[in-house]
Amino acid sequence: ISQEGTISAVATQSPGWVNLDKSAPVTTATADGRVLASSPTSAWWDASATVTMVATDTLSGVAANYPTYRVNEGNLSIYEFPFVIEKQGSTKITYQSVDKAGNVEGTVTGYVNIDETAPSLEVKTTPKKASGWYSTDVTVELVATDAVSGVDHLQYRESNATTWTATTGTFVLTSPANAGAHSYRCQAIDKAGNVAQQDITVNIDKVGPTTLVQQKTARVNRPVKLSYKATDGISPQVIKVSIKVRNSRNAVVTSFYLDPKLVGKWYTVTWVPRSVGTFTYSLFARDLALNAPVKIGVAKIIVRR
């Protein structure tokens, strides 16, 4: 209203907003639910993995056609659906997003490192024994290699055990703790979790057998059965079994070389004496670890007409 009392028009304008977004969006990439590795060796998958990307921006929102990504040095692609990485080894993935205000996320780099191959594993024992029986403590060495992710750790356990024992590669099986027949499972695990296993049998026997014979009465020129037996607390069998018959002058008059025998059982061998007198016979045998007997059985044979 002017001083003259007239009405003047007043200009009006609709209210407006100033929307300010200074923060770049954030993109998260996972492979089978795990965040991508930060380097070509820092984390591993043991099979092909599906990569999923999620971009978020709490203010203006993520712009259309983002995120974008590149696999290794390939073409730039718009992320629309999860994609699969199948190649063994390390695959580099770079990605970023832009929001609707034009804020650009710095390029993010992650890796999908895949190793589907188990390590190679060789188990060595010292000393080597073809029979599998040892008369000493046994050193076991695990030699493992893995060309992709690398070997992570080595373990072993007795076959009926439930827990594993870690080893740096070499361990010693001792007697009496490991005396007798024992089977062990050794394994190597790579950084992707792939497992290689090898079973070994290590039988330790440090104590030789005891041999037994029985005194006999015989007739000259008539067969007599000489009885013999070997006992051993560990080995189930004796080898290099022999009997020697000696006369009163300790001269050997006959020898028998016998096949391997089970311990704890009596066996017989037939001998025909050719003269009267007192003879002795003794039994020698080694166990499977080639230990000599701790006691050699000796008995008389009294031969009459």
Side-chain angles (χ1 to χ4, degrees), residues 80-96:
E80 297 179 285
F81 304 102
F83 56 93
V84 178
I85 301 297
E86 296 180 329
K87 181 182 177 182
Q88 183 157 274
S90 182
T91 297
K92 181 174 72 172
I93 301 173
T94 53
Y95 53 95
Q96 69 178 163

Side-chain angles (χ1 to χ4, degrees), residues 63 73 86 108 114 116 120 187 200 209 213 283:
E73 305 307 320
E86 296 180 329
V108 184
I114 297 175
E116 299 179 289
S120 65
Q187 67 178 20
I200 59 170
V213 292
L283 174 66

